[in-house]
Amino acid sequence: TVSDIKKQEDIHSVIHMTSSLPYCRVYKGATITLFLFENSEGHLESSLIVCPDKREGAFRASKELGSYQVMMQISFALRIMYTCFSWKHQALIVHSSVIVHDDKANLFIGPSGTGKSTHSRNWLNYINGSELLNDDNPIIRMTGLNVIAYGTPWSGKTPCYRNKSYDVRAVVRLNQDKKNNIRNLSGTDILFNMIPAISVVRWDKSAMDGIMSIISGIAENIPFYYMGCLPDRAAVEMCYNEIEKK
């Protein structure tokens, strides 16, 4: 049981807790990391135990959960395991929407509610040849000096699960504004805007060191922009003309 594991591993304190459902409490023991997924009333719905090398994990769900809930929590658990391990292979999950145009990927980042999906949808509507690669949690990976974006099974509310990859052209940090404007980002401004978009494991120092190194490498090899925008065609055309230099 979870109680037995806590006793055996000398786990006693909460390391991290998510702010959205399912709520996730993270405990770190001598040899494993334990994730507990709870509902809004604080009842345990499922758990995930991740081994030290992050290659294997054990997931258990409450018998009270329906099949759809179990499927969604398995997906969540897989995303956590990927985050814990992927940095060792120079790969990160990024909270973003990705548009592909002329065989290159444009990543739009920003907090939830910023308008990433709306901006991507306007690319599809107004820029011929645009395709959606992923609308919530794509993967980006450093391979040498190249940065590549990958589709994933995690695309938020938009069912866009594409097993494809493209070189990244640019990353654009979106922000709602009263008028459309765009500018280049450099130096620490890139890190300040990029770090919140990355899925991280804050309780693991070695993982965080690796993740920060990958972000720095990405920042050195592709252009970053900051765009204040309206949810309109003019915003898309301004972004297109700037990042693709048309």
Side-chain angles (χ1 to χ4, degrees):
T1 66
V2 170
S3 296
D4 291 335
I5 292 171
K6 286 184 178 180
K7 290 177 182 178
Q8 293 171 9
E9 293 287 333
D10 191 27
I11 297 174
H12 54 81
S13 61
V14 175
I15 296 173
H16 179 68
M17 186 172 177
T18 57
S19 58
S20 58
L21 290 172
Y23 297 125
C24 178
R25 298 179 184 272
V26 184
Y27 300 82
K28 188 163 177 63
T31 61
I32 57 98
T33 304
L34 173 65
F35 299 82
L36 302 182
F37 306 117
E38 302 173 349
N39 61 23
S40 58
E41 298 177 349
H43 297 148
L44 180 64
E45 291 188 332
S46 61
S47 63
L48 171 68
I49 298 171
V50 179
C51 297
D53 63 4
K54 311 299 189 298
R55 289 178 175 272
E56 295 182 358
F59 176 84
R60 297 185 67 178
S62 167
K63 294 180 180 180
E64 298 176 1
L65 292 181
S67 57
Y68 178 78
Q69 290 175 297
V70 172
M71 179 185 69
M72 293 302 294
Q73 294 205 15
I74 289 175
S75 176
F76 189 45
L78 287 171
R79 182 152 57 93
I80 286 175
M81 287 199 65
Y82 189 93
T83 299
C84 289
F85 184 72
S86 62
W87 64 271
K88 296 181 179 180
H89 296 275
Q90 301 295 299
L92 303 172
I93 294 178
V94 186
H95 181 210
S96 63
S97 184
V98 185
I99 284 289
V100 174
H101 186 256
D102 285 346
D103 288 326
K104 294 214 170 183
N106 303 319
L107 274 73
F108 304 115
I109 64 174
S112 297
T114 298
K116 299 184 296 295
S117 294
T118 299
H119 190 76
S120 286
R121 188 162 57 248
N122 284 338
W123 271 74
L124 298 175
N125 290 335
Y126 301 125
I127 305 299
N128 290 335
S130 295
E131 303 175 47
L132 185 68
L133 177 63
N134 187 276
D135 202 33
D136 195 44
N137 284 287
I139 291 164
I140 55 175
R141 185 183 185 192
M142 287 288 299
T143 58
L145 298 179
N146 294 327
V147 182
I148 302 174
Y150 297 81
T152 72
W154 309 295
S155 192
K157 297 177 182 178
T158 304
C160 183
Y161 314 112
R162 303 182 66 192
N163 186 20
K164 291 189 175 183
S165 62
Y166 298 87
D167 288 344
V168 174
R169 173 185 288 112
V171 176
V172 183
R173 165 57 159 93
L174 296 179
N175 192 43
Q176 295 178 6
D177 207 334
K178 295 180 180 179
K179 64 178 182 178
N180 296 320
N181 58 92
I182 189 168
R183 58 183 172 86
N184 285 95
L185 288 176
S186 60
T188 57
D189 284 340
I190 293 178
L191 298 180
F192 178 78
N193 285 281
M194 187 66 177
I195 291 171
I198 303 296
S199 294
V200 297
V201 282
R202 294 180 177 87
W203 55 89
D204 187 326
K205 184 181 183 303
S206 61
M208 285 303 299
D209 288 344
I211 289 169
M212 290 302 297
S213 177
I214 298 168
I215 295 174
S216 296
I218 292 170
E220 291 173 0
N221 287 282
I222 59 171
F224 278 72
Y225 300 86
Y226 183 94
M227 183 171 192
C229 62
L230 295 164
D232 61 11
R233 179 173 184 167
V236 169
E237 291 176 343
M238 177 182 285
C239 184
Y240 166 71
N241 288 330
E242 178 62 27
I243 67 178
E244 300 198 19
K245 304 301 181 186
K246 301 295 185 183

PDB file of all heavy atoms in Angstrom, residues 6-25:
ATOM      1  N   LYS A   6       5.484   4.600   2.135  1.00  0.00           N
ATOM      2  CA  LYS A   6       5.930   5.792   2.853  1.00  0.00           C
ATOM      3  C   LYS A   6       6.799   5.414   4.051  1.00  0.00           C
ATOM      4  O   LYS A   6       7.818   6.045   4.329  1.00  0.00           O
ATOM      5  CB  LYS A   6       4.730   6.615   3.321  1.00  0.00           C
ATOM      6  CG  LYS A   6       4.029   7.376   2.209  1.00  0.00           C
ATOM      7  CD  LYS A   6       2.912   8.229   2.794  1.00  0.00           C
ATOM      8  CE  LYS A   6       2.220   9.036   1.727  1.00  0.00           C
ATOM      9  NZ  LYS A   6       1.151   9.864   2.282  1.00  0.00           N
ATOM     10  N   LYS A   7       6.403   4.358   4.753  1.00  0.00           N
ATOM     11  CA  LYS A   7       7.171   3.930   5.928  1.00  0.00           C
ATOM     12  C   LYS A   7       8.521   3.358   5.513  1.00  0.00           C
ATOM     13  O   LYS A   7       9.559   3.679   6.088  1.00  0.00           O
ATOM     14  CB  LYS A   7       6.370   2.889   6.705  1.00  0.00           C
ATOM     15  CG  LYS A   7       5.134   3.447   7.403  1.00  0.00           C
ATOM     16  CD  LYS A   7       4.352   2.345   8.087  1.00  0.00           C
ATOM     17  CE  LYS A   7       3.087   2.884   8.736  1.00  0.00           C
ATOM     18  NZ  LYS A   7       2.287   1.803   9.363  1.00  0.00           N
ATOM     19  N   GLN A   8       8.524   2.498   4.490  1.00  0.00           N
ATOM     20  CA  GLN A   8       9.749   1.847   4.055  1.00  0.00           C
ATOM     21  C   GLN A   8      10.756   2.846   3.490  1.00  0.00           C
ATOM     22  O   GLN A   8      11.956   2.716   3.675  1.00  0.00           O
ATOM     23  CB  GLN A   8       9.427   0.791   2.989  1.00  0.00           C
ATOM     24  CG  GLN A   8       8.624  -0.391   3.512  1.00  0.00           C
ATOM     25  CD  GLN A   8       8.145  -1.292   2.399  1.00  0.00           C
ATOM     26  OE1 GLN A   8       8.540  -1.145   1.256  1.00  0.00           O
ATOM     27  NE2 GLN A   8       7.268  -2.231   2.733  1.00  0.00           N
ATOM     28  N   GLU A   9      10.257   3.853   2.802  1.00  0.00           N
ATOM     29  CA  GLU A   9      11.133   4.784   2.115  1.00  0.00           C
ATOM     30  C   GLU A   9      11.437   6.036   2.932  1.00  0.00           C
ATOM     31  O   GLU A   9      12.137   6.925   2.481  1.00  0.00           O
ATOM     32  CB  GLU A   9      10.490   5.205   0.779  1.00  0.00           C
ATOM     33  CG  GLU A   9      10.394   4.090  -0.228  1.00  0.00           C
ATOM     34  CD  GLU A   9      11.746   3.733  -0.814  1.00  0.00           C
ATOM     35  OE1 GLU A   9      12.632   4.602  -0.851  1.00  0.00           O
ATOM     36  OE2 GLU A   9      11.922   2.577  -1.223  1.00  0.00           O
ATOM     37  N   ASP A  10      10.891   6.126   4.123  1.00  0.00           N
ATOM     38  CA  ASP A  10      11.091   7.292   4.973  1.00  0.00           C
ATOM     39  C   ASP A  10      10.630   8.559   4.256  1.00  0.00           C
ATOM     40  O   ASP A  10      11.307   9.585   4.234  1.00  0.00           O
ATOM     41  CB  ASP A  10      12.562   7.431   5.383  1.00  0.00           C
ATOM     42  CG  ASP A  10      12.748   8.489   6.486  1.00  0.00           C
ATOM     43  OD1 ASP A  10      11.788   8.701   7.251  1.00  0.00           O
ATOM     44  OD2 ASP A  10      13.821   9.082   6.552  1.00  0.00           O
ATOM     45  N   ILE A  11       9.463   8.464   3.620  1.00  0.00           N
ATOM     46  CA  ILE A  11       8.873   9.598   2.923  1.00  0.00           C
ATOM     47  C   ILE A  11       7.920  10.307   3.882  1.00  0.00           C
ATOM     48  O   ILE A  11       7.055   9.687   4.469  1.00  0.00           O
ATOM     49  CB  ILE A  11       8.092   9.124   1.683  1.00  0.00           C
ATOM     50  CG1 ILE A  11       9.040   8.471   0.688  1.00  0.00           C
ATOM     51  CG2 ILE A  11       7.350  10.281   1.035  1.00  0.00           C
ATOM     52  CD1 ILE A  11       8.345   7.857  -0.494  1.00  0.00           C
ATOM     53  N   HIS A  12       8.094  11.584   4.029  1.00  0.00           N
ATOM     54  CA  HIS A  12       7.241  12.254   5.017  1.00  0.00           C
ATOM     55  C   HIS A  12       6.841  13.662   4.632  1.00  0.00           C
ATOM     56  O   HIS A  12       6.023  14.276   5.305  1.00  0.00           O
ATOM     57  CB  HIS A  12       7.964  12.307   6.373  1.00  0.00           C
ATOM     58  CG  HIS A  12       9.325  12.928   6.310  1.00  0.00           C
ATOM     59  ND1 HIS A  12       9.517  14.286   6.306  1.00  0.00           N
ATOM     60  CD2 HIS A  12      10.544  12.367   6.203  1.00  0.00           C
ATOM     61  CE1 HIS A  12      10.814  14.535   6.220  1.00  0.00           C
ATOM     62  NE2 HIS A  12      11.468  13.398   6.146  1.00  0.00           N
ATOM     63  N   SER A  13       7.380  14.219   3.560  1.00  0.00           N
ATOM     64  CA  SER A  13       7.024  15.601   3.254  1.00  0.00           C
ATOM     65  C   SER A  13       6.628  15.781   1.792  1.00  0.00           C
ATOM     66  O   SER A  13       7.109  15.077   0.909  1.00  0.00           O
ATOM     67  CB  SER A  13       8.200  16.532   3.557  1.00  0.00           C
ATOM     68  OG  SER A  13       9.312  16.187   2.760  1.00  0.00           O
ATOM     69  N   VAL A  14       5.708  16.714   1.549  1.00  0.00           N
ATOM     70  CA  VAL A  14       5.279  17.032   0.195  1.00  0.00           C
ATOM     71  C   VAL A  14       6.362  17.864  -0.478  1.00  0.00           C
ATOM     72  O   VAL A  14       6.836  18.846   0.073  1.00  0.00           O
ATOM     73  CB  VAL A  14       3.956  17.815   0.214  1.00  0.00           C
ATOM     74  CG1 VAL A  14       3.570  18.242  -1.201  1.00  0.00           C
ATOM     75  CG2 VAL A  14       2.854  16.980   0.837  1.00  0.00           C
ATOM     76  N   ILE A  15       6.775  17.459  -1.665  1.00  0.00           N
ATOM     77  CA  ILE A  15       7.799  18.200  -2.396  1.00  0.00           C
ATOM     78  C   ILE A  15       7.153  19.142  -3.403  1.00  0.00           C
ATOM     79  O   ILE A  15       7.607  20.252  -3.613  1.00  0.00           O
ATOM     80  CB  ILE A  15       8.750  17.231  -3.113  1.00  0.00           C
ATOM     81  CG1 ILE A  15       9.502  16.403  -2.068  1.00  0.00           C
ATOM     82  CG2 ILE A  15       9.724  17.963  -4.023  1.00  0.00           C
ATOM     83  CD1 ILE A  15      10.346  15.309  -2.659  1.00  0.00           C
ATOM     84  N   HIS A  16       6.087  18.710  -4.046  1.00  0.00           N
ATOM     85  CA  HIS A  16       5.474  19.536  -5.085  1.00  0.00           C
ATOM     86  C   HIS A  16       3.999  19.176  -5.180  1.00  0.00           C
ATOM     87  O   HIS A  16       3.606  18.052  -4.922  1.00  0.00           O
ATOM     88  CB  HIS A  16       6.170  19.288  -6.428  1.00  0.00           C
ATOM     89  CG  HIS A  16       5.588  20.069  -7.560  1.00  0.00           C
ATOM     90  ND1 HIS A  16       5.684  21.428  -7.648  1.00  0.00           N
ATOM     91  CD2 HIS A  16       4.897  19.677  -8.663  1.00  0.00           C
ATOM     92  CE1 HIS A  16       5.092  21.851  -8.754  1.00  0.00           C
ATOM     93  NE2 HIS A  16       4.603  20.801  -9.385  1.00  0.00           N
ATOM     94  N   MET A  17       3.189  20.157  -5.563  1.00  0.00           N
ATOM     95  CA  MET A  17       1.769  19.894  -5.758  1.00  0.00           C
ATOM     96  C   MET A  17       1.259  20.735  -6.906  1.00  0.00           C
ATOM     97  O   MET A  17       1.513  21.939  -6.965  1.00  0.00           O
ATOM     98  CB  MET A  17       0.980  20.217  -4.487  1.00  0.00           C
ATOM     99  CG  MET A  17      -0.494  19.848  -4.555  1.00  0.00           C
ATOM    100  SD  MET A  17      -1.301  20.048  -2.970  1.00  0.00           S
ATOM    101  CE  MET A  17      -2.990  19.623  -3.408  1.00  0.00           C
ATOM    102  N   THR A  18       0.573  20.110  -7.855  1.00  0.00           N
ATOM    103  CA  THR A  18       0.033  20.847  -8.983  1.00  0.00           C
ATOM    104  C   THR A  18      -1.182  21.654  -8.549  1.00  0.00           C
ATOM    105  O   THR A  18      -1.789  21.389  -7.519  1.00  0.00           O
ATOM    106  CB  THR A  18      -0.369  19.886 -10.112  1.00  0.00           C
ATOM    107  OG1 THR A  18      -1.313  18.950  -9.594  1.00  0.00           O
ATOM    108  CG2 THR A  18       0.838  19.147 -10.643  1.00  0.00           C
ATOM    109  N   SER A  19      -1.547  22.637  -9.367  1.00  0.00           N
ATOM    110  CA  SER A  19      -2.667  23.513  -9.031  1.00  0.00           C
ATOM    111  C   SER A  19      -3.912  23.208  -9.854  1.00  0.00           C
ATOM    112  O   SER A  19      -4.895  23.934  -9.800  1.00  0.00           O
ATOM    113  CB  SER A  19      -2.260  24.985  -9.242  1.00  0.00           C
ATOM    114  OG  SER A  19      -1.846  25.194 -10.581  1.00  0.00           O
ATOM    115  N   SER A  20      -3.874  22.139 -10.654  1.00  0.00           N
ATOM    116  CA  SER A  20      -5.031  21.768 -11.462  1.00  0.00           C
ATOM    117  C   SER A  20      -5.267  20.268 -11.339  1.00  0.00           C
ATOM    118  O   SER A  20      -4.372  19.504 -10.979  1.00  0.00           O
ATOM    119  CB  SER A  20      -4.801  22.152 -12.927  1.00  0.00           C
ATOM    120  OG  SER A  20      -3.642  21.523 -13.436  1.00  0.00           O
ATOM    121  N   LEU A  21      -6.480  19.850 -11.643  1.00  0.00           N
ATOM    122  CA  LEU A  21      -6.842  18.442 -11.518  1.00  0.00           C
ATOM    123  C   LEU A  21      -6.162  17.604 -12.596  1.00  0.00           C
ATOM    124  O   LEU A  21      -6.019  18.044 -13.723  1.00  0.00           O
ATOM    125  CB  LEU A  21      -8.354  18.287 -11.625  1.00  0.00           C
ATOM    126  CG  LEU A  21      -9.151  18.823 -10.434  1.00  0.00           C
ATOM    127  CD1 LEU A  21     -10.644  18.798 -10.759  1.00  0.00           C
ATOM    128  CD2 LEU A  21      -8.871  18.002  -9.184  1.00  0.00           C
ATOM    129  N   PRO A  22      -5.774  16.336 -12.258  1.00  0.00           N
ATOM    130  CA  PRO A  22      -5.804  15.801 -10.889  1.00  0.00           C
ATOM    131  C   PRO A  22      -4.675  16.410 -10.059  1.00  0.00           C
ATOM    132  O   PRO A  22      -3.559  16.573 -10.561  1.00  0.00           O
ATOM    133  CB  PRO A  22      -5.579  14.298 -11.091  1.00  0.00           C
ATOM    134  CG  PRO A  22      -4.754  14.216 -12.338  1.00  0.00           C
ATOM    135  CD  PRO A  22      -5.227  15.348 -13.213  1.00  0.00           C
ATOM    136  N   TYR A  23      -4.984  16.772  -8.804  1.00  0.00           N
ATOM    137  CA  TYR A  23      -3.954  17.317  -7.935  1.00  0.00           C
ATOM    138  C   TYR A  23      -2.884  16.261  -7.686  1.00  0.00           C
ATOM    139  O   TYR A  23      -3.183  15.095  -7.455  1.00  0.00           O
ATOM    140  CB  TYR A  23      -4.555  17.783  -6.608  1.00  0.00           C
ATOM    141  CG  TYR A  23      -5.548  18.907  -6.761  1.00  0.00           C
ATOM    142  CD1 TYR A  23      -6.834  18.804  -6.251  1.00  0.00           C
ATOM    143  CD2 TYR A  23      -5.208  20.074  -7.439  1.00  0.00           C
ATOM    144  CE1 TYR A  23      -7.749  19.838  -6.401  1.00  0.00           C
ATOM    145  CE2 TYR A  23      -6.111  21.107  -7.596  1.00  0.00           C
ATOM    146  CZ  TYR A  23      -7.386  20.985  -7.080  1.00  0.00           C
ATOM    147  OH  TYR A  23      -8.274  22.002  -7.236  1.00  0.00           O
ATOM    148  N   CYS A  24      -1.640  16.656  -7.760  1.00  0.00           N
ATOM    149  CA  CYS A  24      -0.534  15.702  -7.660  1.00  0.00           C
ATOM    150  C   CYS A  24       0.400  16.088  -6.532  1.00  0.00           C
ATOM    151  O   CYS A  24       0.991  17.168  -6.548  1.00  0.00           O
ATOM    152  CB  CYS A  24       0.230  15.662  -8.988  1.00  0.00           C
ATOM    153  SG  CYS A  24       1.649  14.565  -8.968  1.00  0.00           S
ATOM    154  N   ARG A  25       0.532  15.205  -5.564  1.00  0.00           N
ATOM    155  CA  ARG A  25       1.505  15.379  -4.487  1.00  0.00           C
ATOM    156  C   ARG A  25       2.716  14.508  -4.804  1.00  0.00           C
ATOM    157  O   ARG A  25       2.572  13.354  -5.204  1.00  0.00           O
ATOM    158  CB  ARG A  25       0.917  14.979  -3.142  1.00  0.00           C
ATOM    159  CG  ARG A  25      -0.278  15.818  -2.713  1.00  0.00           C
ATOM    160  CD  ARG A  25      -0.813  15.341  -1.361  1.00  0.00           C
ATOM    161  NE  ARG A  25      -2.004  16.065  -0.983  1.00  0.00           N
ATOM    162  CZ  ARG A  25      -2.012  17.214  -0.311  1.00  0.00           C
ATOM    163  NH1 ARG A  25      -0.861  17.761   0.054  1.00  0.00           N
ATOM    164  NH2 ARG A  25      -3.141  17.809  -0.005  1.00  0.00           N
TER     165      ARG A  25
END
